[in-house]
Amino acid sequence: METDALEALNSLWFEHKGIYFDASITSPEMIDSVKHMEIRDSDVFLVTYPKSGTIWTQQILSLIFNEGHRNGTESIDNWTRMPWIEANVRNVDFKTHPSPRTLTTHLPYYLMPRELRIRMGKIIYVCRNPKDVMVSYYHFYKMNPKLKYEINWETFINLFISGRVFIGSWFDHVRGWYTHKEDFNILFLTYEEMKKDLRSAVLKICKFVDINLDEKAIDTVVQRSTFKNMKDDPLSNYSFVPKDLLDQSKGNFLRKGIVGDWKNIMTVAQSEMFDKVFKEKMGDLPTTFLWDLD
Ligand code: A3P
């Protein structure tokens, strides 16, 4: 079954510098061009492994930078407000893009623009309990219209753990970014802390990007970034993604938006196996940064 899944996936992705990328949205040339992108001090990059809270943080940042969408640009969707650098589907000209540029990426640290490593620009890295990432990703694969093979959960766990998924290994992504954090001007956030106290997370982001909003504007950011409000907001719920990229009759980007959904699908044996792998691969990183996997 794993062989069938891989055969189906092999026709959809290409491997480049250790990572699997979705061939329908990017190319090796596009990825390599990112390295040479000129960085401005005002740039803010949102970096995530997929399914870790990307579009949620895009919404928060878009609202912060546009003061709650009260500046006459209310009809712009978040994909346009925060374009992907390695999957430039809408052909944004990053050179002429007005400052401050707010950009999004799933790239590992070593494929990022070089100038970021002299601590120019700012990076917000959001990560999430990998068990929930894995569940969310499993459901996300079902929406891929080009994937003609239904991968079962057991197989998906194996693919995820071995990094044979789009954007590669979660473990390598998080470890890479975390262990190279001194090279970048970076703020780490977790999905779980955003869930626990969204307002504090918004304030933390405002402080990091040096934007002072009054209480009312902060309230607006928080209120418009809740799961329910985003789900109903066509500019932030990604219902605008073309059907040939995402079949949203099979699910939604905003699926459940909870912490601990893995408990509803992982068996005790699967969870224990995952804990073991997690300990082997991440056990040496500081516990303050990692999750209580239970
Ligand atoms: P679930 O599939 O567990 O529901 P990404 O944007 O990185 O692809 O991550 C998608 C995950 O973030 C989905 O998780 C989605 O529901 C969740 N999400 C998006 N917006 C959210 C919000 N406002 N609050 C909580 N979770 C949100």
Side-chain angles (χ1 to χ4, degrees):
M1 262 195 279
E2 205 168 301
T3 326
D4 294 339
L6 278 172
E7 200 172 303
L9 285 164
N10 279 337
S11 61
L12 303 188
W13 66 29
F14 59 90
E15 194 179 351
H16 188 59
K17 304 198 169 146
I19 306 279
Y20 294 103
F21 290 98
D22 185 340
S24 59
I25 52 171
T26 186
S27 64
E29 295 73 33
M30 206 187 264
I31 293 160
D32 287 344
S33 71
V34 167
K35 273 247 153 195
H36 309 290
M37 187 174 179
E38 280 178 23
I39 298 302
R40 305 172 195 160
D41 256 336
S42 57
D43 289 342
V44 177
F45 288 79
L46 167 63
V47 185
T48 57
Y49 183 85
K51 315 324 291 172
S52 303
T54 324
I55 71 164
W56 187 9
T57 318
Q58 278 187 328
Q59 170 77 339
I60 295 170
L61 278 167
S62 303
L63 291 163
I64 289 175
F65 274 86
N66 297 284
E67 293 188 44
H69 292 190
R70 287 192 304 267
N71 58 357
T73 55
E74 290 86 348
S75 59
I76 299 174
D77 68 47
N78 282 347
W79 190 336
T80 301
R81 285 190 187 276
M82 299 207 49
W84 257 267
I85 53 171
E86 78 279 23
N88 190 4
V89 180
R90 289 185 175 171
N91 296 317
V92 175
D93 182 355
F94 294 115
K95 276 198 182 123
T96 57
H97 202 72
S99 297
R101 297 185 299 189
T102 48
L103 306 165
T104 310
T105 182
H106 287 320
L107 286 176
Y109 77 95
Y110 57 88
L111 294 178
M112 287 296 275
R114 280 207 191 95
E115 288 180 354
L116 284 170
R117 296 187 78 156
I118 47 172
R119 298 176 64 91
M120 283 179 77
K122 288 181 174 152
I123 294 174
I124 297 175
Y125 188 91
V126 181
C127 48
R128 183 183 189 186
N129 184 328
K131 288 179 176 172
D132 282 337
V133 169
M134 188 165 67
V135 176
S136 183
Y137 219 175
Y138 167 66
H139 288 285
F140 192 67
Y141 266 67
K142 292 182 194 295
M143 291 193 276
N144 188 325
K146 296 195 177 79
L147 184 59
K148 302 296 180 204
Y149 179 84
E150 187 154 343
I151 303 173
N152 71 34
W153 172 237
E154 187 77 30
T155 303
F156 192 79
I157 294 178
N158 292 335
L159 295 176
F160 183 88
I161 285 179
S162 58
R164 289 171 298 167
V165 286
F166 294 113
I167 307 299
S169 158
W170 177 92
F171 303 97
D172 291 349
H173 203 277
V174 174
R175 166 177 286 281
W177 274 103
Y178 190 77
T179 53
H180 290 83
K181 63 184 188 310
E182 306 304 337
D183 298 350
F184 301 94
N185 192 359
I186 191 165
L187 171 71
F188 279 94
L189 283 175
T190 65
Y191 179 97
E192 290 72 18
E193 72 176 290
M194 285 161 63
K195 240 355 246 191
K196 197 168 166 197
D197 186 349
L198 184 52
R199 196 183 170 85
S200 296
V202 169
L203 289 170
K204 220 180 201 181
I205 294 173
C206 284
K207 189 164 178 236
F208 181 66
V209 298
D210 237 341
I211 291 185
N212 267 319
L213 298 183
D214 61 27
E215 289 292 309
K216 203 161 160 263
I218 299 279
D219 288 344
T220 308
V221 176
V222 172
Q223 192 221 337
R224 293 199 186 178
S225 306
T226 61
F227 183 81
K228 192 185 168 312
N229 287 342
M230 271 185 69
K231 202 171 167 70
D232 296 339
D233 173 7
L235 299 176
S236 65
N237 66 13
Y238 271 63
S239 53
F240 51 78
V241 177
K243 278 196 177 53
D244 61 326
L245 293 182
L246 207 62
D247 180 357
Q248 301 204 41
S249 67
K250 301 223 173 90
N252 300 109
F253 237 101
L254 284 113
R255 192 183 59 93
K256 280 195 179 173
I258 58 169
V259 170
D261 194 33
W262 64 268
K263 291 177 188 162
N264 297 317
I265 177 168
M266 282 182 100
T267 64
V268 172
Q270 287 166 347
S271 172
E272 284 176 0
M273 184 271 287
F274 193 95
D275 291 348
K276 201 166 156 268
V277 174
F278 184 86
K279 209 168 161 206
E280 279 163 21
K281 291 185 184 276
M282 309 296 275
D284 58 325
L285 295 181
T287 50
T288 45
F289 162 66
L290 297 173
W291 301 261
D292 182 354
L293 286 178
D294 302 330

